[in-house]
Amino acid sequence: MTETADPTARALADRLLDAQVRWLLDEVSGDRFAEVVTRDVAAVLDVAATVRAGDVVGVEQLETTVATVVDKVGGSAVLADTVGVFADAIYDSIAANEDHTLGELVEREPVEALLQKIVDMHQTQERVLERLTDSPLVATVASKFVDKLVGDFVEANRQRAEKIPGMGTLMSLGQSAADRARKAAESNTILGDMAGKGAMYALKRTNNAIREMLRDAPVHDATMEFWDLHADEPISGLREYLTKQDLNELVQLCYRIAVTTREKEYFGLLVDECVQVFHEKYRDHTLAAVLGELGLTGEDIITEILRYGPAVVESAKRDGVLEQLLRERLEPFYYSDEVLKILTPAG
């Protein structure tokens, strides 16, 4: 503002400033606020219906925005602080809920379809079983599993045989011989190699059993029967499978995996690829059409603004905070040399 401004012009500027501030405050007060929101949202959507998304949003801009959201929000202190609290709250709700069943929460049809898809994924099953053979430790586990089955079978038969006079002694001798052979295998390289091959043989046999079970046995029906047993029970019954601490720790571990994965370069490449696909698909849509694809209508937007807006505005009006903000924004215009010159009386 010029220091030599005409006093009359300055007085007019003050009056105009006061009038516009009052007018703007009235625009966001009472029922008028809803009218203004409805009007302005409609106007914005009218403009959005004429603007193509690809003309105003470039793929690089979208990638940057999504990356910022993933980085800032995904690793925010809010999520870190609340993920465990949410887990505890969910468990408490589950533990107390006797009014709803699992079947009401999750429909049977998609569960059955998902299970059938998993059973039918033979290529995945074959690859997993094939990769298992690359792990000596897995082979050892399979060998112990087979040994356990055989051992249980032998023990059951031994108990039956001991009921026959003289058979108990023979079974004891056989067990002693087996124990000596096992100790010899542990100290003998050749026998150790044979034991290793035996472990791989056991793994292959285990894999074959799993493969045949998935393809031939009624796994699908048995699993759905297990589902049906729980579907009609209260959701509170789920707490029998884990404690509150178990759920909390599982959620925390999953969150930790998500956070650390988010930080990896490859995850960024995946996000960028998804953004590019999204941009390619919707770049020729208008902004209003994209909102429609997201399931949002003008009424939805208006409703949400009116849900929170009035309380925010009233809070800002309290103690004159909003009025002061409006005045600070408008003063530079009304006190500018151009406006004061217009308001200066001709003479």
Side-chain angles (χ1 to χ4, degrees):
M1 180 183 67
T2 178
E3 296 180 358
T4 59
D6 185 86
T8 302
R10 173 58 186 257
L12 286 173
D14 288 339
R15 290 172 59 189
L16 287 172
L17 175 60
D18 291 341
Q20 185 166 14
V21 169
R22 288 194 301 269
W23 182 81
L24 289 174
L25 289 174
D26 290 340
E27 286 284 274
V28 295
S29 299
D31 295 337
R32 181 58 182 160
F33 181 72
E35 297 174 7
V36 171
V37 169
T38 302
R39 178 199 67 193
D40 291 348
V41 168
V44 170
L45 291 179
D46 286 342
V47 174
T50 66
V51 180
R52 291 171 60 252
D55 292 338
V56 294
V57 180
V59 65
E60 294 83 5
Q61 295 172 305
L62 196 56
E63 287 176 348
T64 301
T65 298
V66 173
T68 299
V69 172
V70 172
D71 180 47
K72 302 299 183 181
V73 178
S76 67
V78 172
L79 285 180
D81 292 340
T82 57
V83 63
V85 178
F86 287 159
D88 291 343
I90 290 172
Y91 189 91
D92 291 339
S93 176
I94 290 176
N97 196 306
E98 299 284 345
D99 300 327
H100 300 279
T101 65
L102 183 60
E104 293 175 350
L105 177 64
V106 183
E107 295 184 2
R108 189 180 195 277
E109 183 179 352
V111 172
E112 187 172 15
L114 174 62
L115 175 61
Q116 187 62 51
K117 179 60 181 176
I118 294 174
V119 172
D120 291 341
M121 292 171 62
H122 300 310
Q123 179 178 345
T124 301
Q125 297 163 13
E126 292 289 344
R127 183 56 177 163
V128 170
L129 294 175
E130 177 184 333
R131 292 296 295 175
L132 285 175
T133 60
D134 296 337
S135 171
L137 182 58
V138 174
T140 301
V141 172
S143 178
K144 291 183 177 180
F145 176 71
V146 173
D147 287 346
K148 177 64 175 174
L149 293 178
V150 173
D152 289 346
F153 175 78
V154 171
E155 177 62 21
N157 283 277
R158 183 185 66 79
Q159 293 177 5
R160 295 191 186 96
E162 286 179 345
K163 297 179 181 179
I164 303 175
M167 290 300 295
T169 302
L170 291 176
M171 292 295 294
S172 297
L173 292 174
Q175 184 64 46
S176 298
D179 291 340
R180 287 195 299 271
R182 183 179 296 109
K183 293 179 180 178
E186 293 173 353
S187 60
N188 187 290
T189 302
I190 297 177
L191 292 179
D193 292 340
M194 292 177 61
K197 293 179 180 179
M200 291 304 299
Y201 175 77
L203 176 58
K204 291 180 180 179
R205 293 296 298 169
T206 304
N207 287 350
N208 289 335
I210 295 173
R211 186 182 296 108
E212 292 174 4
M213 178 188 70
L214 291 175
R215 294 190 177 184
D216 300 329
V219 174
H220 174 274
D221 294 341
T223 306
M224 289 311 301
E225 183 175 287
F226 176 80
W227 167 266
D228 291 335
L229 288 173
H230 292 75
D232 295 331
E233 296 181 356
I235 293 178
S236 58
L238 296 175
R239 70 185 186 276
E240 297 178 3
Y241 287 91
L242 74 171
T243 66
K244 185 175 182 177
Q245 182 178 353
D246 289 334
L247 178 61
N248 186 290
E249 292 177 353
L250 284 172
V251 171
Q252 294 281 7
L253 289 171
C254 291
Y255 171 73
R256 181 59 181 167
I257 291 174
V259 169
T260 54
T261 301
R262 171 189 58 87
E263 299 169 351
K264 300 300 186 294
E265 179 182 359
Y266 184 69
F267 181 79
L269 296 176
L270 294 178
V271 172
D272 288 347
E273 182 64 24
C274 292
V275 169
Q276 291 173 21
V277 170
F278 179 87
H279 187 270
E280 181 68 23
K281 180 176 177 62
Y282 292 105
R283 66 181 180 181
D284 292 329
H285 290 56
T286 65
L287 295 177
V290 173
L291 288 175
E293 292 289 335
L294 292 173
L296 293 174
T297 65
E299 290 76 12
D300 295 328
I301 297 174
I302 292 171
T303 299
E304 293 307 315
I305 293 176
L306 294 179
R307 190 189 309 277
Y308 304 103
V312 174
V313 170
E314 290 303 318
S315 177
K317 287 171 61 179
R318 196 172 298 127
D319 299 327
V321 173
L322 181 57
E323 179 179 352
Q324 181 62 29
L325 289 173
L326 291 174
R327 189 173 296 278
E328 289 175 355
R329 298 299 182 273
L330 294 173
E331 274 184 355
F333 170 76
Y334 284 103
Y335 294 163
S336 66
D337 291 341
E338 182 177 2
V339 171
L340 289 176
K341 183 177 181 180
I342 293 172
L343 297 177
T344 299

